[in-house]
Amino acid sequence: LGSGLDTARSDYVARVSFQPDRTYTFTTRYRFDESTFAVRRFEAESRANYDRWMVSLLYGNYAAQPQLGFLTKREGILTTTSFKITTNWMASAGIRYDLDAHQVDQTVFGVGYIDDCFILALNYITSYAYSGNPTTDHRVMLQMSLRTLGTTAVSQTVGNSGGL
């Protein structure tokens, strides 16, 4: 919604990536307004792969998207890590920090199976809302992806608390 995909012209997207060796990757992603070329979305990511470990740090700046329920600009940092338990099994964790609220607004812990064609992941996600009535939302999400066909996910709330 609001990207222009429903019209003859959509927003423009671009990505620049630099990988100096097998360990490090630096990537930036952009979304530009189709008529004004204003930056609607910007991401800068650094990623490192060390044997069985992967760590990444992503900065994101996103314009308001009222059609999707995001009434104001969003800006934050997401850090993630994963560890290959075996060739096909991995454990992962992540934490997202909201730069506007100066607070952690999401944590994720998960396990997953990955092969050349298929991904199956189970994640436990905790989201924190600070404005209005502060709440904490706990979810379990099951994700299945067929690499050339697409991804689907289902999630279930496992408990809400009215205060942080």
Side-chain angles (χ1 to χ4, degrees), residues 24-88:
Y24 302 105
T25 305
F26 306 97
T27 305
T28 57
R29 291 177 283 274
Y30 310 86
R31 179 175 153 202
F32 302 97
D33 184 272
E34 57 94 9
S35 58
T36 66
F37 291 102
V39 177
R40 288 184 152 192
R41 182 181 192 112
F42 170 76
E43 293 177 340
E45 179 180 20
S46 296
R47 182 179 295 254
N49 290 294
Y50 304 103
D51 191 30
R52 295 166 39 164
W53 285 95
M54 184 283 302
V55 293
S56 76
L57 179 67
L58 180 136
Y59 165 79
N61 189 325
Y62 311 98
Q65 295 174 286
Q67 302 95 330
L68 299 178
F70 299 108
L71 304 178
T72 61
K73 168 186 90 67
R74 295 169 291 140
E75 184 178 28
I77 296 172
L78 171 67
T79 184
T80 58
T81 187
S82 65
F83 178 74
K84 279 187 150 190
I85 300 166
T86 67
T87 302
N88 296 103

Side-chain angles (χ1 to χ4, degrees), residues 6 12 16-17 33 39 46 52 69 77 87 92 100 103 105 109 112 116 131 133 135 140 156-157 162:
D6 56 340
Y12 300 101
V16 176
S17 189
D33 184 272
V39 177
S46 296
R52 295 166 39 164
I77 296 172
T87 302
S92 62
D100 295 323
Q103 305 246 1
D105 71 349
F109 300 94
D116 293 338
S131 60
N133 182 22
T135 59
V140 173
Q156 176 64 48
T157 299

